[in-house]
Amino acid sequence: MTPRKQPPPESPSDIRRRTHVILSFWLIILFLGLPIWWWTTTIYRARLPLQEMLEWADGKACRPVFPLRISIQANSLQEQEAQNLLRLTQHALDDLNDFSGHHLRLQLSPPSSDAKQTHDSGSALTIRLIPGETTTATLDPLEPVLDITYPPNAIPLPTSSSSTLATYVAAQLRSTFAEEQATISYLLSTNAIPSEHRPQGLSPEAAESLSKRTTRSLKYAPTYHLTFSLFTSGPLPSSWDIEAAIDEYMKPVLDVLSPIHNFTIDTQVQLYATPGVQNQVLNKEDLSSFINAAEWPLSPSIGGAPTINFIVFVGNQTIAAASQSPEDASGSESSAAHSWLIPQWGTVYLLSLPLDVTHLSVASLKQPLLTFTSHLLSLTGTPQSGSLPLRLSTLARIRSADLLLRASSTLGSLARLALALPSISIPRSVADGVAKTMAHLRLACETLGGAEGLAHARIAEAEAERAFFEKSMVGQLYFPDEHKIAVYLPLLGPVAVPLVLGLINELKAWSKRRREMAKRGEEKKRE
Amino acid sequence: MDGGKVTLGRTAGLYIGAAVLRLAIFTLLPGLPDLLTGRVEISTPVTSFKRLQEGLFLYNHNVSPYDGGVYHQAPLFLPLFSLLPSFATYPIFTYLLYIAVDLLNARALWRIANSGEAGSSALFTSPRREKRWSGFVIAAVFLFNPFTVATCIGRSTSVFTTCAILHAIAKAVSGAPLGAMVALSFASYLSMYPLLLLPPLLLLCYDRQRPERAVKSSLAFASIHVSIVAGVLALLFQMSYLITGSWEFLPSTYGVQLTLSDLTPNVGLWWYFFIEMFDSFRSFFLAVFWLHLSCYVGGLSVRIRRQPLVVLTLLLGIIAIFKPYPSISDTSLFLAMVPLYRHVFPLMRYSFVIAAVIMYATFLGPAFYHLWIYAGSGNANFFYAITLVWGLGQSLLVCDLMFAVLRDEWEVERPEMVGKEIRQI
């Protein structure tokens, strides 16, 4: 056997040609591939003010303080006497108050002759001091005005350091604002506010009742969708004057709530609707399964806004008296036996009608709608004590505090997310959203308690939510670095092997040629 | 067979036969053209005749043709097709246009074949060149190739690109570099990817210059002709701007090819990959795929410098496999060029496997697509698997042709090795 014939040496032109081929591939990789790789896969991280964001979340940036101005109107008192009474009452209030965040500040309003123009909009409450027989206090049902009558001898002397009237006024004020104070302290205590700002002495029972009320009301949303549904067990009635009835009975409350929420409304009528429970008399357990979720067209939410359902059910069913819990009967007495509130969902009103009624008039809808209105207030989290104007203004303050805390904690979550995932991209829009949120939070913090503060808090909360739920970030929430190997390797690995091996072979051959050249040169020299 | 001996009668017979076959299909099977137009193997988002109709309708109603997001083809098609009598009332004129384009393609191929460039280029003469097919046979293979016929019946607008590419090559081999550059500019304007053919086409033009007015400096030659291409392209873009009134056509035609925004399935390898791709890596892998497509140009041009027509043929094959929206029309162009290398067919090692794989994919592809889309008993993987086989068949052909051509060159250097087994190291 002859030994294997060695191939003849490659010609220099072949070697040069191979070098050029390998170079042509590597030039494309180096001058096009690498820049493109760098350019398309670098993660854009907008700079976020992380420290400030965390401060907001920890409650260090803003201490929620509600300075409530209370004007005292004492037309029948001398200026001097009134000032004195005010000073004493303020003292008594300060002694009673243990929560610095919620502060009542008294002021004397100039005596006005016009009895109608009693309340000025800058203050939360006006106290009208009226001389009378005994010491009494009544809340005006239409305006945030507290009427206090006092016997003539109750006026404190300028020299005295205490006065029963002053103490009485202070106690009245405190009880009026007790619920608001408790709610706000509850809000602060459930959020990450450092303990020194946190009010003391929120009793466990109070906390429990507040948490119960919070679970009953809907989660805050800038817009609620109200659905009014008429379900009838038979063919009649088939029409209702719901629009007129809403305008008449519900619109005023919706208007008052409009700085806090927007409302959209739709209505529907469904005949021959079967409830989930067929019993003639409904027990407490039946109430929760009365809604026939499978058949009634009650969509969970339309257009993204949470829906509040108000259902008028025309049938002959009644509620067993024992099942009425005192809380549910918060409406007027006559509605007690007809309606119940479903937490975070809405209200059902049972209406029994004579069989031949074909059309529900505005008048027959009055009672259901009044019930719905009062339930709407508790569903939106309105406090329950006090007169309506006071309850609504309290709701505005509670909401601003709530939104402020919510936006702050969202900022904190975003900051922690940005710190925890160094490879997540942060688009410019998120940084813009954070900047806007902080600007509005600062404004809201300064004007807390007023309408302006509420508006700023609403914008801040909306912006914070938008920044946090940025679409391009959510997708990357879980994308560890190991995944990148799985992304790059399957395609680029096989491509890289021949390219890298070709380059290595070429470099080896080149260095070998150089060594041989050097050797040959030396040999030549030696010769 | 010798091209010169083919009588005029035979030539006319071939063309008439091809035209009659197409016309017969158009008229006797009126449902078939529309069926083929809807097939993903023939119509891609950037070549579909249906989408052209949509763009034409918008254009004739003075709405920007790109408004619907359906039309992704060059704006100059619109005035061309508006000049024809309306397709709805006189479809025969459109049919005749497509038939004429196919015949022009065949004529260009004929000229390429008769030039003998495939067997003996300026720098290399194959010892086997005598064993070749005449232009008549090559034109006949092209005209009666089922892929070509199906493309013509499906009225895919890629036939115009094919026409421009074939004429660019024909001009180049007949020593008319100016005509070649203008034709290539038209091809690039219509489909963008033919721009990748510019380097080997420049080499071909340089090698086949007429001696009486040859530019000796290769650098000067290249710069003159690159600027011709740039100038013609600028002129075409300006005309398109005047027609549509805005530069909107650039992102709608070339942008769609670059970013693959329309993920309609096709016989290529891109769509499935980019359906599955993570969004954050999409732009990177788009760049990788385009770089992959273009990185062969330099290597092949350097390696097979002595036979630029081979480079063009191989690139057409590679493009038909790896371009973003391929169709069988691209394959038919590649298959039209392959018979020019009849003389190296004996050196090919896998002809049977290649033929089998391509036939297999041709028959199973439509069946799997039907299973996925219409029967619902398969899924996207079925169709993607068969397009992988289709790509495999074509890449085998590309590799084998390249091997055969290189072996042909090598046997000239090493005459003692003719006919012996070799092993690649």
Side-chain angles (χ1 to χ4, degrees), chain B residues 20 30 35 53 56 73 293 410 419:
Chain B
V20 165
L35 174 78
Q53 296 292 104
L56 205 59
Q73 299 166 42
L293 182 57
W410 181 71

Side-chain angles (χ1 to χ4, degrees), chain B residues 89-356:
Chain B
T89 41
Y90 304 107
I92 187 73
F93 288 99
T94 309
Y95 298 156
L96 288 178
L97 173 70
Y98 275 88
I99 293 170
V101 170
D102 258 16
L103 296 185
L104 279 176
N105 291 348
R107 204 176 125 256
L109 261 177
W110 191 312
R111 278 168 55 198
I112 297 167
N114 281 353
S115 74
E117 168 73 23
S120 73
S121 63
L123 301 176
F124 176 79
T125 302
S126 167
R128 303 163 188 268
R129 68 181 179 286
E130 288 313 317
K131 197 180 174 191
R132 67 188 181 102
W133 279 334
S134 69
F136 177 82
V137 176
I138 286 168
V141 167
F142 172 74
L143 283 176
F144 293 102
N145 181 347
F147 293 146
T148 317
V149 177
T151 309
C152 179
I153 304 298
R155 291 154 299 169
S156 156
T157 53
S158 56
V159 295
F160 296 97
T161 313
T162 306
C163 183
I165 293 174
L166 284 177
H167 279 90
I169 298 173
K171 287 278 176 201
V173 294
S174 54
L178 184 70
M181 290 301 125
V182 172
L184 187 78
S185 313
F186 267 92
S188 311
Y189 167 77
L190 294 179
S191 299
M192 189 170 82
Y193 74 86
L195 210 53
L196 294 175
L197 302 176
L198 180 60
L201 195 69
L202 274 177
L203 293 176
L204 185 60
C205 289
Y206 183 72
D207 289 351
R208 301 286 292 210
Q209 288 181 94
R210 294 212 179 102
E212 64 268 19
R213 44 176 179 183
V215 180
K216 275 284 159 265
S217 152
S218 57
L219 212 63
F221 182 84
S223 50
I224 289 170
H225 290 91
V226 167
S227 48
I228 289 172
V229 171
V232 176
L233 277 178
L235 194 72
L236 288 171
F237 286 153
Q238 196 57 48
M239 277 165 71
S240 310
Y241 174 73
L242 290 179
I243 285 167
T244 58
S246 74
W247 292 109
E248 192 191 356
F249 71 92
L250 287 177
S252 302
T253 54
Y254 310 113
V256 166
Q257 300 216 26
L258 284 173
T259 59
L260 203 82
S261 45
D262 193 321
L263 285 172
T264 312
N266 54 46
V267 292
L269 306 172
W270 287 49
W271 61 274
Y272 189 84
F273 196 84
F274 284 98
I275 285 174
E276 303 285 323
M277 180 48 61
F278 288 114
D279 264 355
S280 46
F281 287 100
R282 194 186 151 85
S283 44
F284 171 66
F285 276 98
L286 278 173
V288 168
F289 271 53
W290 270 108
L291 282 183
H292 171 246
L293 182 57
S294 46
C295 74
Y296 293 105
V297 176
L300 281 177
S301 303
V302 173
R303 180 65 189 85
I304 320 180
R305 166 67 189 89
R306 290 186 285 181
Q307 304 185 65
L309 189 61
V310 175
V311 180
L312 284 169
T313 308
L314 293 176
L315 277 180
L316 284 175
I318 288 170
I319 288 169
I321 305 166
F322 292 118
K323 79 176 210 166
Y325 293 109
S327 67
I328 60 167
S329 150
D330 301 286
T331 310
S332 77
L333 174 57
F334 175 50
L335 292 182
M337 298 289 284
V338 170
L340 294 174
Y341 296 93
R342 169 69 186 87
H343 58 285
V344 297
F345 279 5
L347 296 173
M348 288 171 69
R349 295 172 295 181
Y350 308 117
S351 350
F352 173 72
V353 180
I354 293 164

Side-chain angles (χ1 to χ4, degrees), chain B residues 359-392:
Chain B
M359 301 265 279
Y360 173 86
T362 308
F363 288 113
L364 279 189
F368 278 12
Y369 188 74
H370 181 85
L371 282 187
W372 171 30
I373 296 291
Y374 301 106
S377 50
N379 56 22
N381 298 338
F382 274 59
F383 185 61
Y384 187 60
I386 206 71
T387 61
L388 281 179
V389 176
W390 172 249
L392 173 78

Side-chain angles (χ1 to χ4, degrees), chain A residues 4-5 7-8 14 17 20-21 24-25 28 32-33 36-37 40-41 476 479 483-484 487-488 491-492, chain B residues 273 277-278 280-281 283-285 287-289 291 294-296 298-299 302-303 306 409 413-414 416 423:
Chain A
R4 272 194 70 183
K5 207 169 70 174
D14 281 358
R17 189 172 63 191
H20 285 159
V21 169
S24 80
F25 282 104
I28 286 180
L32 287 173
I36 285 175
W37 171 74
T40 55
T41 58
Q476 285 176 298
F479 199 83
H483 276 196
K484 282 188 187 149
V487 169
Y488 288 130
L491 186 68
L492 299 187
Chain B
F273 196 84
M277 180 48 61
F278 288 114
S280 46
F281 287 100
S283 44
F284 171 66
F285 276 98
V288 168
F289 271 53
L291 282 183
S294 46
C295 74
Y296 293 105
V302 173
R303 180 65 189 85
R306 290 186 285 181
E409 277 190 12
E413 284 169 29
R414 305 273 307 274
E416 76 276 14
R423 200 160 54 89

Side-chain angles (χ1 to χ4, degrees), chain A residues 89-396:
Chain A
T89 316
Q90 187 71 56
H91 270 301
L93 269 179
D94 293 348
D95 288 346
L96 281 170
N97 203 353
D98 51 1
F99 175 25
S100 57
H102 194 260
H103 199 83
L104 302 178
R105 178 69 48 206
L106 295 179
Q107 66 176 31
L108 201 62
S109 73
S112 75
S113 51
D114 187 4
K116 291 274 175 202
Q117 279 289 317
T118 44
H119 176 66
D120 84 283
S121 55
S123 55
L125 181 72
T126 303
I127 296 173
R128 208 156 36 194
L129 287 173
I130 305 161
E133 297 297 308
T134 52
T135 325
T136 58
T138 44
L139 273 170
D140 190 306
L142 299 176
E143 280 190 279
V145 169
L146 181 67
D147 286 319
I148 291 182
T149 61
Y150 58 93
N153 58 352
I155 304 296
L157 296 170
T159 51
S160 67
S161 60
S162 71
S163 142
T164 48
L165 180 60
T167 322
Y168 179 77
V169 171
Q172 281 300 322
L173 277 176
R174 190 170 147 68
S175 74
T176 308
F177 286 105
E179 188 177 5
E180 176 177 343
Q181 211 170 356
T183 312
I184 289 177
S185 4
Y186 175 75
L187 276 179
L188 295 183
S189 68
T190 48
N191 275 283
I193 296 296
S195 52
E196 64 261 32
H197 295 158
R198 206 178 281 175
Q200 310 297 318
L202 191 63
S203 69
E205 304 88 69
E208 196 195 331
S209 90
L210 277 168
S211 85
K212 199 171 169 189
R213 215 178 66 214
T214 339
T215 46
R216 180 194 294 187
S217 63
L218 274 106
K219 191 175 172 300
Y220 171 80
T223 304
Y224 287 127
H225 185 77
L226 309 183
T227 300
F228 293 89
S229 315
L230 174 68
F231 290 115
T232 65
S233 57
L236 293 172
S238 57
S239 63
W240 56 340
D241 270 336
I242 185 66
E243 273 179 48
I246 290 173
D247 276 348
E248 174 105 30
Y249 302 117
M250 206 165 208
K251 200 82 184 9
V253 175
L254 295 186
D255 286 344
V256 177
L257 286 174
S258 65
I260 310 175
H261 303 286
N262 299 324
F263 292 99
T264 53
I265 295 173
D266 76 333
T267 65
Q268 58 177 349
V269 178
Q270 177 140 346
L271 309 180
Y272 293 109
T274 359
V277 181
Q278 305 283 355
N279 302 351
Q280 184 60 42
V281 177
L282 300 171
N283 294 317
K284 194 173 182 181
E285 299 76 48
D286 298 335
L287 298 184
S288 54
S289 49
F290 185 79
I291 300 300
N292 189 347
E295 285 176 26
W296 291 0
L298 299 166
S299 67
S301 59
I302 296 170
T307 305
I308 304 179
N309 292 285
F310 295 116
I311 293 173
V312 177
F313 186 80
V314 178
N316 49 8
Q317 286 163 310
T318 51
I319 303 173
S323 66
Q324 287 291 310
S325 70
E327 273 173 291
D328 288 330
S330 56
S332 64
E333 277 308 306
S334 57
S335 76
H338 298 293
S339 70
W340 68 94
L341 183 151
I342 300 171
Q344 302 192 358
W345 193 84
T347 299
V348 182
Y349 191 97
L350 296 181
L351 195 64
S352 51
L353 288 173
L355 282 176
D356 55 345
V357 177
T358 59
H359 180 79
L360 280 180
S361 63
V362 176
S364 54
L365 285 170
K366 177 181 180 184
Q367 206 48 55
L369 275 172
L370 289 181
T371 314
F372 290 160
T373 308
S374 85
H375 283 183
L376 175 67
L377 287 177
S378 37
L379 283 168
T380 51
T382 316
Q384 301 195 321
S385 63
S387 66
L388 188 61
L390 260 184
R391 286 167 65 191
L392 290 173
S393 67
T394 302
L395 176 65

